[in-house]
Each structure stands twice: as structure tokens, then as C-alpha cells.
Amino acid sequence: ALVKVQSEITSILIESAAGATKINGLLADERIPETTADAVSSQLAWLLYRGFPRHVPLATLRHYKRYLKGIVLRLERARLNPNGDLKKEELFAPYWEQYREAAKPANAAHYDAEALAAYRWKLEEYRVSLFAQELHTPEPVSPKRLDAKWATV
């Protein structure tokens, strides 16, 4: 069983590296709005930080391919419709800022760590639902559902 898990994690790492390479190539396109490029760069940093496979639960790692595919679709669409992307980012940004503030070490003691982690992954699903809806989410996610989840944090 351990060999199977190690093999799965290795596959996730290879797919993540390939996805990040493709995303970085798309980020170089000058048709991508700076706000979009900044948001995607931040998202990548939060997903693919040093040592992430040791800290992210395997069940969540299994969604990484979809998260990265969602970023690729977002960037491809942002080239064609930058204003549409910016409007979606405006919907997402307040939730992400709320999370980032809560996740700061100085604020961590004020929140339920497990609920905050669950909220963080709900945000990744919300991104998928906004920017790459055809990739689907394992369960419905919406502003109303995010607000309800936040109440548990």
C-alpha cells in the first residue's frame, strides 16, 4: 500500500511540475491582465510551495491536476476575455483575502485550524467553479456555502 501511495504522490508531483511549466509559459503572454497574472502566481505559490506533499492530505493532492488544469483554462480564457476574468476575480478576491488574513501566524490562534484548512480547500473549488466550470467540483460550492463554512472557522 505504501508503494502505491508513493507512486501516486510521484505522479502528482510530475503532473504538478508539468502544469506549473505550462502556466508559467501562459503567464508570459502580455494579453493576460496583470491582476490575473498576480492572482495566478499567488495561487501557484499557495499550491506548490516547498514541501507541499508532506503537508497537504493525499485526498487533496489528488485534486491538484484539476486545480492546475483550471488555472490553464483560466489563463487561456483571460487572453480572449480579460474583463470577464477580472469580474470573476472580483467575486473571488474577498474570500481569498479573508482566508489569507486568518491564516497569518499572528491570527491563527483566533481560528479553528481544521475548519480554516477545510475552508482553504473550498476556495480552490470555488476557483474551479468560477474559472473552469466544466472541470466540476466534488460538491457544490457558492458564496452562500463559503459564508456558511466561514462561520465554522
Side-chain angles (χ1 to χ4, degrees), residues 23 33 47 49 57 59 94 127:
I23 291 163
L47 285 172
Y49 57 89
R127 277 186 171 123

Side-chain angles (χ1 to χ4, degrees), residues 77-152:
R77 290 177 180 147
R79 287 190 302 197
L80 303 173
N81 183 4
N83 289 333
D85 183 85
L86 295 174
K87 286 178 184 172
K88 290 175 184 177
E89 181 61 29
E90 285 176 16
L91 295 173
F92 179 78
Y95 294 99
W96 184 244
E97 285 307 312
Q98 178 176 262
Y99 168 77
R100 285 185 50 187
E101 276 302 309
K104 288 181 179 177
N107 298 332
H110 303 291
Y111 299 96
D112 177 308
E114 193 174 307
L116 186 61
Y119 182 78
R120 185 261 182 277
W121 296 113
K122 291 263 186 242
L123 290 176
E124 288 303 329
E125 297 300 337
Y126 187 43
R127 277 186 171 123
V128 169
S129 75
L130 282 173
F131 297 105
Q133 201 169 26
E134 68 270 27
L135 297 180
H136 306 288
T137 58
E139 58 188 54
V141 62
S142 66
K144 184 177 179 179
R145 290 174 189 266
L146 287 173
D147 291 340
K149 186 67 178 169
W150 182 254
T152 70

Side-chain angles (χ1 to χ4, degrees), residues 16 31 42 48 51 54 60 82 94 98 105 108 112 116-117 122 145:
S16 295
R31 293 174 290 179
S42 174
L48 304 177
R54 287 190 303 265
T60 303
Q98 178 176 262
D112 177 308
L116 186 61
K122 291 263 186 242
R145 290 174 189 266

Side-chain angles (χ1 to χ4, degrees), residues 6-56:
Q6 288 174 331
S7 174
E8 188 173 359
I9 290 172
T10 300
S11 175
I12 290 166
L13 290 173
I14 291 168
E15 290 171 1
S16 295
T21 299
K22 183 168 186 170
I23 291 163
N24 285 328
L26 288 167
L27 284 171
D29 189 323
E30 70 260 0
R31 293 174 290 179
I32 305 285
E34 187 175 344
T35 301
T36 301
D38 290 347
V40 165
S41 295
S42 174
Q43 182 182 7
L44 276 179
W46 280 82
L47 285 172
L48 304 177
Y49 57 89
R50 185 181 190 126
F52 75 92
R54 287 190 303 265
H55 303 285
V56 176

